[in-house]
Amino acid sequence: MLPLLRLLVELVTNLVLFGYIVAALLTLIRGGGIPRARLLVVDGILFALNLKVVATLLRTMEITTWNQIGLFAAVFVLRAVLKRVTTWERRELRQGHG
């Protein structure tokens, strides 16, 4: 049951990100400007990363070896760095420097 729930969270995450990217493309097509489209993509990435953390936490219940623990830690750190970078990018876009 747990692997199925994790896969469901991963699917929702991918659909959310896809939706934000489509919204950004529509913004560009409608003449909303590149900064607004970039902001939509960054918002989508941040939301997706939050959902990915949920999926990662669900995966921790399946970890049984040291290799899996190391891989989990590496993925968790990478996601934290990505979240920090996208949060910075979002702040810059909101301030009008993008």
Side-chain angles (χ1 to χ4, degrees):
M1 181 68 180
L2 195 59
L4 184 61
L5 181 59
R6 185 174 45 83
L7 287 175
L8 181 63
V9 171
E10 293 280 353
L11 175 65
V12 169
T13 300
N14 293 334
L15 290 174
V16 163
L17 186 55
F18 180 74
Y20 272 91
I21 290 171
V22 168
L25 289 173
L26 289 174
T27 297
L28 286 174
I29 291 169
R30 294 180 180 155
I34 291 175
R36 175 72 183 134
R38 285 177 60 196
L39 188 58
L40 281 169
V41 171
V42 168
D43 285 344
I45 290 170
L46 284 171
F47 190 34
L49 283 171
N50 285 334
L51 290 174
K52 288 283 189 185
V53 168
V54 171
T56 302
L57 290 174
L58 288 172
R59 181 174 287 151
T60 61
M61 295 179 195
E62 301 171 342
I63 292 177
T64 57
T65 67
W66 284 108
N67 283 340
Q68 290 173 333
I69 291 170
L71 184 59
F72 167 78
V75 168
F76 198 79
V77 167
L78 180 60
R79 286 185 182 156
V81 169
L82 284 172
K83 188 171 181 181
R84 200 158 291 248
V85 168
T86 52
T87 300
W88 173 83
E89 177 74 11
R90 183 174 190 259
R91 187 173 43 250
E92 290 295 310
L93 286 169
R94 290 253 185 226
Q95 292 174 356
H97 295 106

